[in-house]
Amino acid sequence: MPPRTVLQRLSFLPDLHLVGGAVRDILLGKEPEDLDFATSAPPQETLRLAKEHGLGAVPTGLEHGTITVLINHHPYEVTTFRHDLETDGRRAKVVWGKSIQADLARRDFTIGAIAMDTSGQVIDPYGGQKDLDAGILRAVGDPRQRFREDYLRVIRAGRFAARYGLEVEEETLQAAKAAAPEVLSHVAIERVTAELDKAFKDPTPSRFLRYLYDLELLQQLIPEFEDTDLLLQNPRWHPEGDVLTHVLQVVDQAPPEIRWHALLHDIGKRDTAKWKPEGWYSFHAHELVGAELIPRIARDLRLPNHLREELLVTTALHMIPAFSKPTPAAIRKFQAQAGPHLKVLEALFRADAGHRREPSAWKFFEPQPVPVQPILQGRHLIEWGHQPGPEFRRLLDAAFEVQLETGETDPERLYQAAQRAKD
Ligand code: ATP
Ligand code: MG
């Protein structure tokens, strides 16, 4: 439903305004993702009025003053005007406010401190529209104070600037830099990771990551990024230059779902860097060292288990298609190690300078005539008189090794070969 229509439908709420990101998107000529509204009615009053007007209404965030109102089953958040009393560097003690002006004053950046009333008039006390037109991200009010109130805003600044292609205004940038050392002691790591997840959905997260690096936040989050902008690489493989530039380029080129893999695939480079007289560094076995770092990094960043498992595989295996000969045996072994993560590895390989790879490298990702899974199974061994035990496992492992090496698919011949192998 168009924003103006929703504004009309909800106009029974006192002092109703469309607020925040939605107004910014409308001014940019983009369709807003979700519509957030603000009203002077306290939450209970919003609930009552919505029901009185035949709309479903659910208190979804009462402590923040938020009621979700349903129009044609579509949810719209309506929040009572707020006013910050005091803050602790992340959260504010809020009271219900009386005016849209006060409500806009507590918002972080001018481009998100714009409202639209039911007649379609834009309320823009901080010049957000002008900043949008000029391509500037600017804090509302005194930037130093705004960042001290909520250090998460330091990160949000970089994310919004990257997403909308804005320059962070000089005073805002200086204040963000001054506040940066305090950010991670005030903001829960989950909130930081959530900001990265959001940025990874945007077209060019590299601008955001470079901002985090310039503020030394990326290095605080993941120490292995420290000084990666100084690590020059072999220009033959990496005409783009240093490790950081390379990684950020891969992140941009990767589809959103695999951007964590892109960010971390070369995380072992810093610890393996060796200076070469040719004028650049080599990074022998960086993929293995990188894979060893993944569990700690994933734990520090509170990444979900399934992502950690997948990161281990992509980090460890990402070099194989680049530098191994695609023999049938090598392809089978690679796919056996990749398991269910082959598609993700392929997407990473494409983003990671895929256009410069030998055409034959792509053979590593081709479907195999016989799926790369163990053909000799425990049930075969039981049939042939074996008892489950350590011996059992050794036979199965040996048979699978033979299968990958030779391409043999007959269980009986695999069994015989496994017995020979263990003698
Ligand atoms: P997105 O597309 O990422 O959702 P958005 O501008 O809608 O962008 P939200 O995080 O959804 O951002 O917040 C909605 C609005 O609430 C913002 O536009 C801003 O005005 C205000 N806001 C959100 N978080 C903060 C914060 N930490 N400090 C101040 N104002 C905030
Ligand atoms: Mg939003």
Side-chain angles (χ1 to χ4, degrees):
M1 204 182 288
R4 292 288 297 275
T5 315
V6 186
L7 270 169
Q8 288 306 318
R9 289 290 296 275
L10 295 175
S11 60
F12 55 82
L13 292 166
D15 306 306
L16 184 77
H17 288 81
L18 182 65
V19 286
V23 184
R24 174 198 62 216
D25 290 346
I26 292 169
L27 295 176
L28 283 170
K30 298 203 313 182
E31 193 164 330
E33 247 179 54
D34 34 37
L35 304 180
D36 296 321
F37 295 89
T39 173
S40 59
Q44 296 298 347
E45 182 71 357
T46 301
L47 261 181
R48 193 183 63 76
L49 284 169
K51 292 198 171 143
E52 196 175 293
H53 286 78
L55 298 175
V58 194
T60 45
L62 261 191
E63 67 280 21
H64 308 113
T66 303
I67 305 291
T68 298
V69 178
L70 297 164
I71 305 177
N72 299 340
H73 306 292
H74 195 290
Y76 298 99
E77 286 194 351
V78 179
T79 303
T80 305
F81 290 157
R82 284 172 295 186
H83 179 66
D84 289 354
L85 286 184
E86 53 183 282
T87 61
D88 65 359
R90 177 66 265 275
R91 287 177 197 292
K93 196 176 263 176
V94 287
V95 289
W96 304 150
K98 292 270 172 289
S99 73
I100 184 67
Q101 268 75 19
D103 191 81
L104 293 178
R106 66 183 290 282
R107 295 171 184 269
D108 42 6
F109 303 107
T110 63
I111 64 164
I114 315 177
M116 182 183 277
D117 69 14
T118 51
S119 70
Q121 194 185 316
V122 170
I123 294 100
D124 178 16
Y126 303 102
Q129 166 101 65
K130 183 170 63 62
D131 284 344
L132 260 188
D133 292 344
I136 291 172
L137 187 93
R138 185 196 309 270
V140 168
D142 174 7
R144 278 168 306 247
Q145 189 190 330
R146 303 318 305 277
F147 290 132
R148 274 200 302 268
E149 285 167 5
D150 178 0
Y151 285 93
L152 181 65
R153 294 169 183 162
V154 173
I155 296 177
R156 284 168 55 87
R159 182 165 65 79
F160 286 128
R163 181 198 277 173
Y164 298 106
L166 310 173
E167 292 297 327
V168 182
E169 177 272 330
E170 192 53 30
E171 230 184 291
T172 302
L173 182 62
Q174 291 314 325
K177 282 186 175 160
E182 299 287 317
V183 168
L184 296 183
S185 53
H186 285 93
V187 181
I189 189 73
E190 288 84 352
R191 288 299 291 115
V192 179
T193 305
E195 289 293 313
L196 282 161
D197 279 326
K198 282 190 191 179
F200 285 163
K201 297 199 178 86
D202 292 338
T204 51
S206 64
R207 286 203 56 212
F208 173 56
L209 294 165
R210 178 73 72 174
Y211 167 93
L212 293 181
Y213 188 82
D214 291 342
L215 269 61
E216 294 183 21
L217 281 167
L218 188 59
Q219 302 88 314
Q220 281 186 54
L221 286 169
I222 309 170
E224 286 75 16
F225 269 103
E226 208 159 305
D227 291 335
T228 44
D229 61 333
L230 302 176
L231 294 177
L232 288 178
Q233 311 177 98
N234 185 344
R236 170 155 173 234
W237 305 114
H238 293 293
E240 72 278 12
D242 61 88
V243 168
L244 181 69
T245 302
H246 165 68
V247 168
L248 300 197
Q249 197 172 71
V250 178
V251 170
D252 278 353
Q253 271 154 21
E257 319 78 67
I258 67 151
R259 282 185 162 145
W260 279 107
H261 301 269
L263 182 69
L264 295 174
H265 78 286
D266 274 349
I267 201 63
K269 278 192 169 167
R270 195 197 118 105
D271 288 356
T272 54
K274 292 237 153 46
W275 181 251
K276 308 272 282 182
E278 292 91 324
W280 37 266
Y281 290 88
S282 70
F283 309 96
H284 181 65
H286 72 270
E287 67 278 20
L288 303 179
V289 170
E292 281 178 11
L293 294 168
I294 291 292
R296 194 213 77 230
I297 294 172
R299 191 162 7 95
D300 287 355
L301 298 176
R302 313 277 196 279
L303 299 182
N305 292 344
H306 66 89
L307 177 56
R308 184 193 60 220
E309 295 306 317
E310 193 155 73
L311 283 164
L312 271 174
V313 176
T314 56
T315 304
L317 300 186
H318 79 274
M319 294 303 286
I320 290 180
F323 289 122
S324 308
K325 224 169 146 243
T327 62
I331 295 171
R332 283 190 293 267
K333 285 178 192 172
F334 174 73
Q335 293 198 2
Q337 285 179 284
H341 312 299
L342 190 65
K343 282 277 167 243
V344 172
L345 264 164
E346 185 176 7
L348 176 63
F349 192 68
R350 180 165 294 118
D352 186 9
H355 61 283
R356 280 202 295 273
R357 305 299 183 190
E358 293 291 328
S360 65
W362 299 96
K363 287 191 184 161
F364 278 98
F365 302 103
E366 280 172 11
Q368 298 303 293
V370 177
V372 188
Q373 274 152 16
I375 288 170
L376 186 75
Q377 300 278 325
R379 60 181 170 81
H380 294 114
L381 295 186
I382 288 168
E383 207 174 295
W384 297 328
H386 288 268
Q387 304 290 328
E391 168 76 359
F392 206 79
R393 188 72 261 156
R394 270 198 293 277
L395 276 171
L396 291 177
D397 288 348
F400 191 38
E401 232 168 84
V402 173
Q403 178 192 335
L404 295 176
E405 190 62 47
T406 63
E408 178 60 64
T409 57
D410 177 67
E412 207 166 324
R413 279 203 289 273
L414 284 169
Y415 173 61
Q416 287 154 3
Q419 283 199 310
R420 276 195 305 277
K422 90 178 166 48
D423 293 338

